[in-house]
């Protein structure tokens, strides 16, 4: 497989996707270069650091800039008002319980407010979802921070982002592990970092019920994508699934170094096989 193109695909999984940086660190130590990056939702957030060419050893410090404290601290009271009185206040698709100010500031601080896709050191593809059609929308033009913000638009939690006349939300809804994008873009060896959504141990509230439904849907979709990936004979796909013993919340940014270490640990057993593939 001499001259093959290597893709790093980081699937959706919230803050757990920081494990993708740990995967990247181990690949860099092994001398395995990445030729393209594909990310969905949280995978896009951390994948952007790889694509922009940050030093792998500085990744933990840079990643901490992405979360400026509690990202769900500022409640979007006007949006809640429109939800409570939809006819009077004219409810629309621009709904999110929390304001995205901290997310935007974090992304712009890490990536640069006006950094464009054509300025990345490695080709970068961000997966989002069209709110109206449910179809995946792949972004690789325009501002990196804006595209990543769109891919991280967890429905109901944060407002959608309008790009190109479309209301875009979380990429994990339509494509939680976008290996198909890497195949389409000509990757020969795909290193896919996937995350299972933990099921709720005790469903005793509406929130837990909603999380349980989302976990079931996401895990089934992920399993389907794994099955489809195994049928793609024209690309070698290495699946790396970091294991988490505890839940990781949106505001657990202090655990990013720990999360990255779990990604690194999950990568080590695959390195020898990847080296053999690289050597043909």
């Amino acid at each position: 497989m001499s001259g093959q193109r290597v893709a790093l695909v980081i699937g959706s999984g919230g803050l757990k996707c920081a494990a993708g940086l740990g995967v990247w660190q181990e690949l860099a130590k092994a001398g395995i270069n990445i030729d393209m990056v594909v990310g969905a939702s949280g995978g896009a957030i951390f994948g952007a650091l790889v694509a922009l060419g940050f030093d792998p050893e500085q990744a933990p410090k840079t990643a901490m800039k992405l979360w400026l404290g509690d990202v769900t601290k500022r409640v979007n009271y006007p949006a809640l008002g429109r939800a409570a009185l939809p006819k009077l206040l004219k409810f629309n698709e621009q709904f999110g319980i929390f304001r995205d100010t901290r997310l935007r500031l974090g992304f712009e601080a890490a990536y640069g407010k006006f950094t464009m896709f054509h300025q990345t050191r490695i080709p970068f593809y961000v997966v989002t979802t069209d709110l109206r059609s449910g179809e995946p929308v792949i972004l690789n033009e325009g501002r990196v921070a804006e595209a990543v913000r769109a891919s991280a638009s967890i429905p109901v939690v944060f407002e959608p982002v309008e790009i190109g006349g479309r209301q875009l939300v979380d990429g994990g809804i339509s494509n939680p592990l976008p290996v198909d994008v890497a195949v389409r873009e000509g990757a020969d060896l795909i290193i896919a970092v996937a995350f299972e959504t933990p099921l709720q141990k005790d469903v005793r509230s509406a929130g837990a019920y909603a999380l349980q439904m989302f976990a079931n849907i996401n895990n089934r979709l992920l399993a389907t994508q794994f099955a489809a990936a195994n049928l793609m004979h024209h690309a070698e796909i290495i699946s790396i699934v970091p294991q988490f013993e505890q839940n990781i919340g949106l505001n657990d940014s202090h655990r990013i170094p720990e999360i990255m270490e779990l990604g690194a640990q999950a990568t080590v057993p695959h390195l020898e096989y990847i080296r053999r593939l690289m050597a043909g």
Side-chain angles (χ1 to χ4, degrees):
M1 292 179 66
S2 58
Q4 73 271 38
R5 299 185 69 199
V6 180
L8 176 63
V9 177
I10 309 178
S12 62
L15 198 57
K16 290 185 295 186
C17 298
L21 296 180
V23 174
W24 172 47
Q25 284 183 327
E26 289 300 318
L27 295 174
K29 290 177 185 176
I32 299 167
N33 295 320
I34 302 299
D35 299 298
M36 74 175 75
V37 181
V38 183
S41 192
I45 294 173
F46 295 103
L49 300 180
V50 181
L52 288 168
F54 283 90
D55 182 345
E57 296 305 317
Q58 294 298 316
K61 186 180 296 185
T62 307
M64 296 295 284
K65 294 181 181 179
L66 292 167
W67 259 260
L68 299 180
D70 186 346
V71 295
T72 57
K73 184 175 182 179
R74 298 188 61 189
V75 177
N76 189 347
Y77 290 108
L80 292 178
R82 290 194 297 271
L85 301 169
K87 291 184 179 180
L88 179 64
L89 299 181
K90 298 181 180 179
F91 181 85
N92 57 41
E93 295 170 330
Q94 288 298 314
F95 176 75
I97 295 176
F98 301 102
R99 294 189 180 277
D100 66 352
T101 306
R102 289 175 179 267
L103 274 183
R104 286 186 178 276
L105 289 175
F107 295 165
E108 291 170 2
Y111 315 139
K113 185 174 182 179
F114 300 106
T115 300
M116 310 295 282
F117 273 88
H118 70 265
Q119 295 175 303
T120 62
R121 292 183 62 183
I122 302 172
F124 184 37
Y125 302 89
V126 173
V127 179
T128 67
T129 302
D130 188 309
L131 175 63
R132 295 167 184 165
S133 69
E135 297 175 336
V137 177
I138 315 303
L139 302 176
N140 67 335
E141 295 180 346
R143 291 198 300 126
V144 171
E146 189 74 1
V148 172
R149 168 62 189 87
S151 189
S153 294
I154 304 171
V156 181
V157 178
F158 298 114
E159 292 181 354
V161 175
E162 182 175 344
I163 298 179
R166 288 174 147 177
Q167 296 292 337
L168 301 179
V169 294
D170 197 319
I173 294 173
S174 59
N175 200 345
L177 187 63
V179 292
D180 59 308
V181 177
V183 171
R184 186 194 69 190
E185 296 301 326
D188 302 296
L189 173 59
I190 300 171
I191 300 167
V193 189
F195 306 92
E196 295 178 342
T197 303
L199 298 175
Q200 300 297 303
K201 295 181 179 179
D202 193 7
V203 181
R204 294 190 179 184
S205 68
Y209 179 84
L211 288 173
Q212 186 79 334
M213 292 301 97
F214 175 78
N216 280 317
I217 293 170
N218 181 80
N219 290 342
R220 291 305 304 165
L221 182 55
L222 185 62
T224 300
Q225 288 188 292
F226 267 128
N230 289 330
L231 296 175
M232 295 179 182
H233 299 296
H234 53 289
E236 185 76 35
I237 301 173
I238 309 297
S239 299
I240 298 177
V241 186
Q243 299 300 309
F244 296 84
E245 295 182 359
Q246 298 177 334
N247 286 336
I248 305 293
L250 284 178
N251 296 311
D252 288 337
S253 57
H254 61 283
R255 299 180 64 184
I256 284 178
E258 169 194 342
I259 296 168
M260 290 179 57
E261 179 58 29
L262 290 175
Q265 291 174 8
T267 307
V268 172
H270 299 277
L271 289 176
E272 185 57 37
Y273 181 55
I274 294 173
R275 288 193 189 96
R276 290 204 303 269
L277 291 174
M278 298 290 291

